[in-house]
Amino acid sequence: MTGLRRLVDEMVAAGGKLGQTALKLAPAYLSDQEATDTVLAPYADDIGCDVETILATRRYTLTGNHRALQGTWI
């Protein structure tokens, strides 16, 4: 069970790093729609990720709440 927990922790850490990058590209004052329209959609496409996951990791970085990652691959 500890191996599974470690994997989950690593995935959450990766999501945090992805969210930090998304937040640098699209500051918190931008709505999800503005962030998507201006920079996050092309960023997601460039790295081969879906926009919903990028937005979720951005929310996670803003809040620190793991529930923000629900429904994503992270």
Side-chain angles (χ1 to χ4, degrees), residues 47-64:
I47 65 170
C49 190
D50 59 279
V51 174
E52 292 79 19
T53 297
I54 299 295
L55 288 170
T57 60
R58 182 173 175 255
R59 283 191 225 75
Y60 171 67
T61 300
L62 285 167
T63 65

Side-chain angles (χ1 to χ4, degrees), residues 1-46:
M1 191 65 159
T2 58
L4 178 60
R5 183 68 208 161
R6 191 172 332 136
L7 177 61
V8 169
D9 289 345
E10 288 177 18
M11 290 177 74
V12 169
K17 291 181 188 296
L18 187 59
Q20 289 171 356
T21 301
L23 197 53
K24 286 179 185 176
L25 293 171
Y29 64 83
L30 294 177
S31 70
D32 283 355
Q33 189 62 56
E34 291 171 317
T36 298
D37 291 346
T38 58
V39 70
L40 293 184
Y43 171 63
D45 189 50
D46 286 348

